[in-house]
Amino acid sequence: MSLILNIETATKNCSVSLSNHGEVINCIEIAEQGYSHAEKLHVFIEQVLLESNVQFSDLEAIAVSQGPGSYTGLRIGISAAKGLCYSLDIPLIAIDTLEVLARQLQISEGYIIPMIDARRMEVYSAVFDSQYLKIRNIQAEIITENSFSEYGGIVHFVGDSTEKCKVILTQSNFIFEDDIVFPSANQMSQLSFQKYQKGDTVDVAYFEPYYLKDFMTTTPKK
């Protein structure tokens, strides 16, 4: 067996799945208006294993969504993954959050642009083709009426930024997939297994979330 625990906490979706040879055995997730990752993540991990009749000692690796996304969400997920890897002495696998989001949509041609909200009119985005090959790297960008206009053919948008972007991105070849909002640990299973087979892991001691932008704090108003 190649049992891998997959953790996705980069957005409001707190998602955990257990997979074997790239196939999902069980997945538990919840997306709430506020972030509940600190309260739910460890409960979900224990529940996924219990329902699957799997012990922590049976796990071969832990996979975690590396970002970009919520600073708090990423930190919670990666801290949990690191702790498990340390205690179980198993490898840590890092998965591109935007690819996880893109893989919820299957198309025969055109492009998939996953977008994660970065407040106001800014998003984290990348561009994938129909085979999930990344043809433009991840960027933090402010959306304008000219954004993504260089891509011909049908362009599919997924993620939690579609509502605010569809008002500006009005080209006839743009399609907004409103049903696909958050990345899920379900789509991590094949990616994590492929990386596990190749030995594509990260250093547990030094791995950090891919924030894309520097963390900024604000002074609370009195």
Side-chain angles (χ1 to χ4, degrees):
M1 291 194 300
S2 296
L3 291 167
I4 300 176
L5 185 71
N6 304 284
I7 298 172
E8 166 57 68
T9 58
T11 63
K12 291 179 179 178
N13 192 29
C14 182
S15 181
V16 178
S17 74
L18 179 68
S19 59
N20 184 28
H21 288 280
E23 297 295 327
V24 176
I25 298 173
N26 192 9
C27 180
I28 300 176
E29 59 188 355
I30 187 171
E32 298 181 320
Q33 189 62 32
Y35 287 89
S36 59
H37 302 22
E39 296 81 17
K40 300 290 178 60
L41 179 58
H42 288 281
V43 175
F44 285 0
I45 291 172
E46 293 181 359
Q47 186 176 348
V48 161
L49 295 180
L50 180 64
E51 291 179 358
S52 306
N53 196 27
V54 169
Q55 306 296 318
F56 279 101
S57 58
D58 296 326
L59 297 174
E60 298 289 338
I62 307 292
V64 67
S65 180
Q66 68 179 7
S70 157
Y71 295 105
T72 302
L74 288 170
R75 179 61 64 184
I76 290 171
I78 289 173
S79 294
K82 281 187 169 187
L84 288 170
C85 288
Y86 270 125
S87 62
L88 299 172
D89 193 24
I90 57 177
L92 177 63
I93 300 168
I95 305 295
D96 179 348
T97 303
L98 287 172
E99 183 173 356
V100 173
L101 180 55
R103 282 178 176 268
Q104 292 191 53
L105 181 67
Q106 295 181 343
I107 60 173
S108 58
E109 58 182 1
Y111 304 95
I112 303 172
I113 300 182
M115 299 189 298
I116 293 177
D117 190 21
R119 297 183 180 180
R120 299 186 178 87
M121 288 312 299
E122 190 172 15
V123 301
Y124 304 125
S125 69
V127 181
F128 294 84
D129 67 11
S130 59
Q131 302 302 310
Y132 308 113
L133 177 65
K134 187 185 292 181
I135 61 174
R136 199 216 69 190
N137 285 329
I138 300 170
Q139 294 180 10
E141 57 191 312
I142 297 173
I143 298 299
T144 71
E145 60 184 11
N146 296 318
S147 296
F148 312 114
S149 59
E150 67 269 31
Y151 298 101
I154 301 300
V155 179
H156 301 263
F157 294 92
V158 296
D160 61 358
S161 301
T162 58
E163 282 301 319
K164 73 179 184 181
C165 290
K166 66 172 58 176
V167 179
I168 296 176
L169 301 176
T170 58
Q171 290 185 205
S172 59
N173 61 318
F174 289 173
I175 297 176
F176 291 88
E177 308 288 349
D178 295 331
D179 293 337
I180 302 175
V181 181
F182 300 118
S184 168
N186 265 316
Q187 279 70 44
M188 293 176 67
S189 58
Q190 290 186 355
L191 294 171
S192 60
F193 181 58
Q194 290 168 4
K195 287 198 168 192
Y196 177 72
Q197 286 184 304
K198 294 185 293 185
D200 186 357
T201 61
V202 295
D203 190 309
V204 176
Y206 297 103
F207 176 69
E208 291 291 332
Y210 181 46
Y211 291 129
L212 195 58
K213 296 198 305 179
D214 292 334
F215 179 69
M216 297 179 64
T217 58
T218 57
T219 303
K221 296 180 179 179
K222 294 182 178 180

